[in-house]
Amino acid sequence: MVLVTACYSSHEREGIDFLPLTVDYRENTYASGRIPGGFFKREGKPPEKEVLTSRVIDRPIRPLFPDGWRRETQVVAFVISADKENDSDVLALTGASAALALSEIPLQATIAAVRVGMLDGKLLINPTYEQRRSGSLDLVVAGSRDALVMVEAGAKEVSEEDMILALDAGHGAIRQIIDEIDSLAAAAGKTKLKVDAKSPDPTVAAEVESQLIGPLADAMRIRDKLESYSAVDKVLEDYLATLPQEDAERRADTKSVFKGLKEKVLRDEVLERGQRLDGRAFDEIRNITCDVGLLPRAHGSAVFTRGETQALVTSTLGTADDQQKIELVDGETYRRFMLHYNFPPFSVGEVKFLRGPGRREIGHGNLAERSLLPVVPGEDTFPYTIRVVSDILESNGSSSMASVCGGTLALMDAGVPLKAPVAGVAMGLILDETTGRHAVLSDIAGAEDHYGDMDFKVAGTADGITALQMDIKVGGITADIMQQALEQAKAGRLHILERMRATLQDPRTNISSHAPRIVTIQIPVDKIRDVIGPGGKTIRSIIERTGVKIDVEDDGRVNVASSDDASAQKAISIIEELTATPELNKSYLGTVQRITDFGAFVEVLPGVDGLLHVSEIAHYRVKEVRDELQEGEKVLVKVINVDPSGKIRLSRKALLDRPAGGDQNAGNRRDRQPVKS
């Protein structure tokens, strides 16, 4: 259950030219009957899941607000009951649409959201957590009655055809939910407010367009981004210099018209002239360069450059101790693969304070992480914790997809045996909703992203899609446009993969010399207690003696990590000794633990005793066991039998010389010595 509210300010905010919308999603731990961890025992800073869900709600509803809406607006979603089987993010988005539909806020359309999964080739609407883990597709789709407006997906190399089917199935379910929301709004909704969007003076608009459209188009066609931005600003500044300073209204109208002219130039360039501002064809990818192994101390590094977008990506290998513990309303989990995305202000030539990651950085990092996660090897074959960091050095479009490409190269440079390389590309759309004319653009630059009608990011291998994200600014796109975009994205992805393979064909065979070496051995589950010892005493002793890190899993896997191979082998030898089981016909130097009338019990391995029967002590008849053996004495014995229950029979006489002349009854003789082994 999710409680969703929508509120707005009673007055407009002056002096702004953007939509003042805030979306907050919170998961209360009481919803699942849990108390938060930590000292304060209450919810604090929003974790990554809450930030990402807030973005999922914000992105599809933001374009639905009318132009000119300048009232502070806030949508708040609280998870108040969680069954630990179903995710609440799509409920929060649908609830936000319902709350806005009931309110006085004049949204242009009703939307809803569902999750679509694929298990054994069958599509599922709103699958459970278990079905999502087992399935090959995890797709969140939001839409109106007529079209889709937002898509967020993670997949295990799903084909473009299957993705289209999943989107269509999700849209069908969305229409059913919208019918319910519209019925609720008709019965209980409030009268919508009217928005009077201020328009510039038509005379001023016509004059500004006639005077500036030509110089502006020339400035926007300059290939270098910063040079183009500077030229565009100069066009406006030169024109404003001709206007009287006291005519504030006309100057404000001029700025407003000029802003719209930039969008008109871009759209006319594509739809009327049939080319892009930088002269590329619609499906052309910018020039790509790749470099790997630039940082000598990092475990893996790469610089991926596409046009004026550049990402420095590093990968670091750690042990199980480095896994991130995540506390959610559904319980605690551990994360062994992490990708962090940083967008410093110098990457776009700006001056800002350096703070912690914002919502955009968290969202871009999550998209890149979802793109790479399906090809990261499992812990059973590669027992490392992996952290990838992408620092954007320069940005002019699709830095998240540059992080995907650079992340693949950095992981391969670190020696991570990826199942397949992954590349990503950002697609754009210019659509004339009146005539239906459109153009799908590959590898969009910053201006095409800002003024275009769609931002559609697709990442995957040569065999299929691993992640997808789509945001649409217009009323929606048709299935035909979506199919064209996916096909064009695949061609671009394959081109980028080819350029990446030219730099590094396969993962390196050895990991960096600076990375910890992890050796994995398997021990019987019932021997785990012997390795750990009472209160962890034994395992701490091994760590202190060898200087390694040891992680013992519930299934008997033991990971020994060390930068020194000799230390790792020493620790493994100790563990193998602790967990070894006696082998038939093998000799052991054991210790006599207890003597009885019928023989002695000898410890052949730590914690493992065997029976040395009186008849197996010597070749002659032994009348008194204590005359032959003493408790605590070291004795060489041979394993002669191990029964199914684990009981061990030992022999000492098998290792002794027989007495000369066949003297079998010479009495107790302690002078018989074992044969040297």
Side-chain angles (χ1 to χ4, degrees), residues 556-615:
R557 279 185 300 117
V558 180
N559 295 324
V560 179
S562 173
S563 57
D564 179 10
D565 288 338
S567 298
Q569 292 303 321
K570 182 179 179 181
I572 290 172
S573 297
I574 296 172
I575 294 170
E576 288 177 341
E577 183 180 343
L578 288 170
T579 60
T581 55
E583 298 179 27
L584 192 64
N585 296 323
K586 187 174 180 180
S587 300
Y588 296 89
L589 183 62
T591 303
V592 178
Q593 297 292 325
R594 183 162 55 94
I595 294 177
T596 66
D597 293 338
F598 53 84
F601 288 93
V602 179
E603 184 183 53
V604 291
L605 290 171
V608 181
D609 294 346
L611 173 62
L612 177 60
H613 192 265
V614 64
S615 63

Side-chain angles (χ1 to χ4, degrees), residues 116-137:
V116 183
M118 181 180 288
L119 184 62
D120 298 328
K122 296 181 180 179
L123 296 174
L124 304 172
I125 301 298
N126 291 335
T128 64
Y129 283 124
E130 181 58 36
Q131 290 170 330
R132 289 164 61 185
R133 282 190 290 267
S134 304
S136 58
L137 176 65

Side-chain angles (χ1 to χ4, degrees), residues 407-574:
T408 295
L409 292 171
L411 289 168
M412 293 170 67
D413 184 52
V416 180
L418 298 181
K419 299 172 186 175
V422 177
V425 63
M427 310 297 294
L429 173 71
I430 305 297
L431 173 66
D432 187 335
E433 293 187 87
T434 304
T435 63
R437 295 172 59 197
H438 70 276
V440 176
L441 309 178
S442 296
D443 182 25
I444 55 175
E448 294 167 335
D449 183 7
H450 186 71
Y451 298 115
D453 298 317
M454 178 182 74
D455 181 14
F456 187 23
K457 299 181 178 74
V458 186
T461 66
D463 297 326
I465 296 170
T466 57
L468 186 149
Q469 185 182 87
M470 180 183 75
D471 293 295
I472 301 175
K473 305 172 188 175
V474 292
I477 63 172
T478 63
D480 290 340
I481 295 178
M482 176 68 76
Q483 185 169 1
Q484 180 186 349
L486 284 171
E487 290 174 355
Q488 200 165 310
K490 182 178 182 180
R493 188 171 79 240
L494 294 176
H495 169 76
I496 297 170
L497 284 170
E498 184 179 344
R499 298 303 304 271
M500 291 166 59
R501 286 196 185 97
T503 301
L504 190 59
Q505 180 72 25
D506 298 303
R508 301 202 188 279
T509 54
N510 296 313
I511 63 174
S512 167
S513 59
H514 302 295
R517 263 51 180 177
I518 297 181
V519 181
T520 302
I521 61 174
Q522 189 75 33
I523 65 173
V525 175
D526 60 348
K527 295 289 185 178
I528 292 177
R529 63 179 182 271
D530 297 327
V531 175
I532 296 176
K537 181 180 178 181
T538 304
I539 194 170
R540 285 198 302 270
S541 172
I542 300 172
I543 292 172
E544 290 171 2
R545 290 161 58 190
T546 61
V548 302
K549 280 186 177 181
I550 301 175
D551 296 302
V552 182
E553 305 295 338
D554 293 339
D555 60 358
R557 279 185 300 117
V558 180
N559 295 324
V560 179
S562 173
S563 57
D564 179 10
D565 288 338
S567 298
Q569 292 303 321
K570 182 179 179 181
I572 290 172
S573 297
I574 296 172

Side-chain angles (χ1 to χ4, degrees), residues 68-373:
W69 180 264
R70 296 295 179 262
R71 298 178 187 239
E72 291 278 3
T73 306
Q74 185 177 30
V75 174
V76 177
F78 284 162
V79 179
I80 56 177
S81 182
D83 61 6
K84 299 185 181 181
E85 292 184 6
N86 299 282
D87 208 331
S88 52
D89 50 2
V90 292
L91 297 182
L93 175 48
T94 299
S97 176
L100 291 165
L102 289 169
S103 74
E104 297 173 322
I105 301 171
L107 233 61
Q108 296 173 348
T110 304
I111 65 169
V114 296
R115 173 173 268 105
V116 183
M118 181 180 288
L119 184 62
D120 298 328
K122 296 181 180 179
L123 296 174
L124 304 172
I125 301 298
N126 291 335
T128 64
Y129 283 124
E130 181 58 36
Q131 290 170 330
R132 289 164 61 185
R133 282 190 290 267
S134 304
S136 58
L137 176 65
D138 187 6
L139 168 70
V140 174
V141 55
S144 63
R145 190 183 305 278
D146 301 321
L148 302 178
V149 296
M150 195 247 353
V151 174
E152 191 87 26
K156 298 175 182 176
E157 298 182 279
V158 170
S159 68
E160 282 74 11
E161 294 76 15
D162 285 342
M163 190 66 75
I164 291 289
L165 292 175
L167 292 170
D168 187 58
H171 198 193
I174 284 170
R175 293 191 182 99
Q176 299 178 40
I177 301 173
I178 289 175
D179 289 340
E180 298 296 328
I181 295 176
D182 287 343
S183 298
L184 176 63
K190 298 180 180 180
T191 303
K192 299 296 183 182
L193 295 173
K194 302 247 183 235
V195 179
D196 297 324
K198 182 182 177 183
S199 300
D201 185 295
T203 304
V204 173
E207 181 181 345
V208 170
E209 182 172 348
S210 63
Q211 294 283 334
L212 301 185
I213 190 74
L216 176 61
D218 292 337
M220 291 181 69
R221 292 188 189 112
I222 297 175
R223 299 289 182 91
D224 184 89
K225 184 182 78 168
L226 295 181
E227 186 180 342
S228 174
Y229 285 2
S230 178
V232 168
D233 291 342
K234 190 174 187 307
V235 171
L236 177 60
E237 290 169 3
D238 290 347
Y239 185 78
L240 290 175
T242 65
L243 302 179
Q245 289 288 343
E246 60 274 9
D247 194 349
E249 184 175 355
R250 183 173 181 181
R251 295 175 70 88
D253 285 349
T254 298
K255 293 178 182 178
S256 177
V257 172
F258 188 78
K259 184 178 179 181
L261 274 183
K262 290 191 281 187
E263 182 174 347
K264 176 178 172 57
V265 167
L266 177 106
R267 302 177 76 84
D268 287 350
E269 194 81 2
V270 173
L271 295 179
E272 302 300 332
R273 300 186 59 181
Q275 66 180 35
R276 300 160 77 168
L277 287 172
D278 56 9
R280 282 186 292 152
F282 293 163
D283 61 350
E284 185 177 348
I285 308 296
R286 288 171 289 179
N287 184 52
I288 294 173
T289 58
C290 307
D291 296 286
V292 294
L294 276 77
L295 308 183
R297 197 63 177 78
H299 298 168
S301 61
V303 173
F304 180 85
T305 308
R306 186 185 58 243
E308 291 181 304
T309 297
Q310 186 176 74
L312 169 64
V313 190
T314 59
S315 58
T316 307
L317 306 180
T319 66
D321 291 344
D322 298 311
Q323 292 186 13
Q324 182 184 16
K325 180 181 178 181
I326 301 174
E327 186 177 19
L328 299 173
V329 68
D330 304 302
E332 294 179 352
T333 59
Y334 286 87
R335 184 176 169 202
R336 64 175 287 265
F337 176 68
M338 299 160 277
L339 193 150
H340 297 146
Y341 168 98
N342 299 315
F343 194 82
F346 65 74
S347 64
V348 286
E350 294 180 354
V351 179
K352 289 182 180 178
F353 286 112
L354 287 176
R355 295 286 186 260
R359 287 188 173 187
R360 177 182 176 275
E361 289 173 297
I362 291 174
H364 279 36
N366 179 262
L367 174 61
E369 182 179 310
R370 277 188 286 118
S371 303
L372 293 171
L373 186 59

